[in-house]
Amino acid sequence: MITDIFCKIINGEIPAEVVYQDDHVWVIKDIAPQAPVHFLIIPVKHFTGLDDVAEHDEALLGKLFRVAHDMAKKQNLDKGYRLVVNEGEHGGKLVPHLHIHLLGGKNLK
Ligand code: 5GP
């Protein structure tokens, strides 16, 4: 795993193309897009992964999905899109900060 680049982005230490931000959620463009639209939905609160999520975080996790859907609508992904969470080594997780990938803009079959 590499260091937590997303905390550094949220703290303004390294740049990113920010699509949306509020007090709880940031959305940035993936630096190596795998689809015409490839955004990362990132909670400001640091969770290394789903192991760190407690019951009182459930509303925040729900918000991540709502923001992801809003982003998909704003990008006119009317034909559909994919949300992905990579978890742990076998899941292919690289950045140790919980995030959802939003992929779309082509047929992902
Ligand atoms: P993971 O495998 O952890 O779910 O995916 C991490 C994602 O973060 C990858 O798709 C990768 O391209 C993206 N990424 C890694 N470093 C940076 C960065 O510095 N800036 C941005 N915008 N995306 C990054």
Side-chain angles (χ1 to χ4, degrees):
M1 280 198 189
I2 55 180
T3 55
D4 181 5
I5 281 165
F6 298 157
C7 272
K8 290 185 177 172
I9 288 172
I10 289 166
N11 289 331
E13 293 169 41
I14 59 172
E17 280 195 73
V18 180
V19 181
Y20 171 85
Q21 68 184 102
D22 64 28
D23 289 345
H24 303 290
V25 181
W26 280 42
V27 180
I28 65 172
K29 291 188 181 180
D30 197 291
I31 203 167
Q34 305 296 308
V37 174
H38 188 172
F39 293 170
L40 302 169
I41 321 300
I42 305 167
V44 170
K45 180 174 177 179
H46 178 88
F47 304 95
T48 300
L50 290 167
D51 263 351
D52 294 346
V53 174
E55 197 172 340
H56 61 257
D57 298 312
E58 287 175 359
L60 174 56
L61 261 60
K63 179 170 179 166
L64 298 181
F65 280 91
R66 189 175 59 72
V67 169
H69 185 60
D70 287 350
M71 294 298 111
K73 289 191 100 168
K74 286 203 171 84
Q75 292 296 313
N76 300 311
L77 302 180
D78 305 329
K79 291 188 171 174
Y81 58 88
R82 181 173 293 164
L83 300 179
V84 174
V85 176
N86 296 322
E87 184 69 8
E89 185 185 346
H90 283 192
K93 185 179 198 153
L94 293 173
V95 178
H97 184 129
L98 181 65
H99 55 281
I100 301 174
H101 294 255
L102 166 63
L103 298 140
K106 70 175 184 182
N107 194 331
L108 296 164
K109 275 201 287 194

